[in-house]
Amino acid sequence: MKRVKKENDPQKRDDGSSFSSLSEDLIIKILLQLPTKSIPKLVVVSKLWSSIIRSKQFIDLYLKLSLTRPCFLLSFHRDSIQFFQIKPSQSLEAGSPSSSYTCTTSSYPLNLDTLSYNVYPPVCGLICFQNLDKVVVSNPSTGQFLVLPKLNTRRKGISRFLGYDPVKDEYKVLCMTVLQTSRKVVSEEHQVFTLGGGAEKKEKEEATWRMIKCKVPHCPVPKVKELCSNGLVYYGAWSNNKGKRSLIVCFDVTLEEFTRVKLPDGVEIVRFGSVLVNYHSKVALANHTDFGKFDMWVLGDVVKQEWSKISVVVPSWNDLVGRRDYFSFRGVVSSGKFIFASVYWRGPFSVISYDPKEDIAKRVEIEGLGDTLRSVRLYLDHVERPIIL
């Protein structure tokens, strides 16, 4: 009986299993062809498979392949459950000036009392959001999530950002609380939580929040999502210095240091109208993008803090949007196309794709999501990474 139980137990399959006849290279080739959601389940096949799946070599190979096929990530709220859905970018960008795309990929329910507008943009495959008084990190490609320990604070107002250090292969969650007095509003209690990239587990004593110093007095602007690029996290902020109402703060994920990025003269961060995007690997800021005509400022040199302006005019905007819908700019995908998504709409959720080279704009309706959606958010150039949380 014991022998039969051992053979049927996937945790105990090793050299006696039929999988032992496969070489390590062949196993890696098989795993690279599988959907991300299936990979965490296969760690129980054998010790060898578990070792391969958790190795930095395999995770990097899978990420490299995923970078060639970036996806759109949708988050939406239905029946008090958070869902995430991944779509091929090419499917949404293709089609005639007015076409539809049927959603067929699977969605992942997270049984948490979170709201979809709390979800921050994905960073190298992971996302971060707040669930009541808890900070949560999730891998939407696998459906897994990790609830981080409680922050070292008694305050309720918390700003949170997710960053990735490609050199050390580490994710870091940056949180800060906001102190408001009669004279100023400033961020305080800056804390960092470090997660490994999946290949190695952190020591238990390291898995805690650490207080760090911030020498740049500022307060993050609500509703303006951050941008992580090349190991740096950028986010909009208000300054307490006289004559400088708003700025961009840059957080170095490796050094855990803050620097101030000055905005062009006359440009301000708008709470409900600003968006930070990745424009050909450079940071860009756009304001008031809901009418298809706006200026976008591109940060060409972070050290010299030099900005250049790009004027965007989407052709036939009114015809594409219609009278009852409301669209806003979401960013620029790796192909160079500008993407706008529905904010308020009737009927299927829609996306507008604008190609500045061809000066052509298209609207694509996303069918199959259901009719009871709330707070839909679209994130661009999401990559799938089989990290086990």
Side-chain angles (χ1 to χ4, degrees):
M1 293 295 293
K2 292 183 179 179
R3 184 178 181 181
V4 173
K5 183 177 181 181
K6 181 177 180 180
E7 291 176 352
N8 291 337
D9 188 350
Q11 294 278 12
K12 298 180 180 180
R13 293 178 186 169
D14 40 38
D15 293 340
S17 169
S18 59
F19 291 103
S20 62
S21 61
L22 301 179
S23 67
E24 184 171 335
D25 290 340
L26 181 56
I27 294 175
I28 292 176
K29 290 181 179 180
I30 293 173
L31 292 172
L32 289 176
Q33 301 302 316
L34 297 178
T36 316
K37 64 180 180 180
S38 301
I39 293 177
K41 303 175 184 178
L42 298 176
V43 296
V44 300
V45 170
S46 70
K47 292 181 180 179
L48 175 60
W49 281 59
S50 177
S51 176
I52 292 174
I53 291 172
R54 298 177 186 274
S55 69
K56 183 175 181 355
Q57 177 192 7
F58 171 71
I59 294 175
D60 288 346
L61 284 173
Y62 200 97
L63 176 62
K64 184 178 180 180
L65 184 62
S66 181
L67 287 170
T68 64
R69 53 188 186 197
C71 301
F72 285 163
L73 178 66
L74 277 175
S75 71
F76 50 93
H77 200 251
R78 180 195 288 145
D79 300 329
S80 300
I81 298 178
Q82 185 73 45
F83 286 78
F84 301 94
Q85 189 141 357
I86 298 173
K87 299 173 169 298
S89 299
Q90 295 83 355
S91 299
L92 297 183
E93 295 179 42
S96 60
S98 180
S99 59
S100 63
Y101 171 73
T102 302
C103 175
T104 56
T105 54
S106 57
S107 57
Y108 300 96
L110 297 182
N111 297 309
L112 301 170
D113 297 323
T114 184
L115 296 177
S116 59
Y117 56 74
N118 283 329
V119 179
Y120 277 61
V123 177
C124 200
L126 300 186
I127 57 175
C128 179
F129 55 91
Q130 188 172 350
N131 175 49
L132 300 179
D133 61 342
K134 298 289 186 179
V135 178
V136 181
V137 175
S138 174
N139 187 337
S141 300
T142 63
Q144 296 178 313
F145 63 89
L146 176 67
V147 179
L148 303 186
K150 186 178 177 61
L151 280 164
N152 300 318
T153 183
R154 294 183 178 180
R155 299 175 183 172
K156 294 183 178 180
I158 300 172
S159 295
R160 62 216 169 276
F161 306 97
L162 177 63
Y164 176 69
D165 179 359
V167 178
K168 295 184 178 180
D169 188 29
E170 290 180 337
Y171 293 87
K172 291 184 180 180
V173 180
L174 168 66
C175 286
M176 62 194 76
T177 58
V178 176
L179 175 65
Q180 183 171 0
T181 67
S182 57
R183 295 184 178 182
K184 63 180 180 178
V185 179
V186 65
S187 61
E188 292 189 339
E189 297 179 328
H190 301 81
Q191 303 180 51
V192 169
F193 190 96
T194 303
L195 301 92
E200 297 180 1
K201 293 184 178 180
K202 289 291 177 183
E203 296 295 333
K204 188 174 182 180
E205 59 269 20
E206 294 182 13
T208 184
W209 290 99
R210 298 177 288 104
M211 288 286 185
I212 62 173
K213 295 182 179 180
C214 176
K215 298 180 181 179
V216 180
H218 71 281
C219 176
V221 179
K223 308 299 182 183
V224 179
K225 304 302 184 184
E226 83 272 15
L227 172 68
C228 182
S229 177
N230 299 320
L232 302 173
V233 176
Y234 301 86
Y235 58 92
W238 291 314
S239 172
N240 292 306
N241 296 339
K242 294 183 179 180
K244 297 293 183 182
R245 293 184 56 191
S246 61
L247 68 152
I248 291 177
V249 173
C250 175
F251 176 70
D252 190 309
V253 181
T254 303
L255 302 178
E256 299 182 359
E257 294 179 349
F258 298 83
T259 56
R260 181 195 312 268
V261 180
K262 296 180 181 179
L263 293 172
D265 293 339
V267 178
E268 297 288 343
I269 299 290
V270 184
R271 182 174 182 177
F272 292 101
S274 294
V275 56
L276 285 172
V277 300
N278 187 324
Y279 181 72
H280 299 302
S281 300
K282 296 180 180 179
V283 179
L285 170 68
N287 286 336
H288 303 297
T289 64
D290 48 297
F291 298 107
K293 182 179 180 180
F294 59 92
D295 292 330
M296 186 172 70
W297 295 88
V298 181
L299 182 61
D301 190 305
V302 179
V303 178
K304 296 181 180 179
Q305 300 193 9
E306 297 176 344
W307 296 84
S308 59
K309 186 174 73 171
I310 297 176
S311 296
V312 180
V313 180
V314 181
S316 305
W317 177 261
N318 292 334
D319 295 334
L320 290 170
V321 172
R323 296 181 178 180
R324 298 181 177 180
D325 296 344
Y326 180 91
F327 283 73
S328 65
F329 182 47
R330 286 292 178 263
V332 183
V333 293
S334 54
S335 64
K337 295 180 180 179
F338 289 66
I339 303 297
F340 302 79
S342 302
V343 179
Y344 304 109
W345 70 96
R346 294 188 180 184
F349 180 80
S350 300
V351 171
I352 291 178
S353 171
Y354 169 57
D355 187 344
K357 294 182 179 179
E358 302 292 335
D359 196 31
I360 296 176
K362 303 176 181 179
R363 173 169 175 164
V364 180
E365 294 183 346
I366 313 301
E367 300 177 345
L369 296 178
D371 300 326
T372 59
L373 299 183
R374 293 189 288 119
S375 303
V376 181
R377 294 294 182 268
L378 176 72
Y379 308 98
L380 312 182
D381 282 340
H382 170 63
V383 293
E384 297 178 279
R385 203 171 187 221
I387 298 176
I388 300 177
L389 298 176

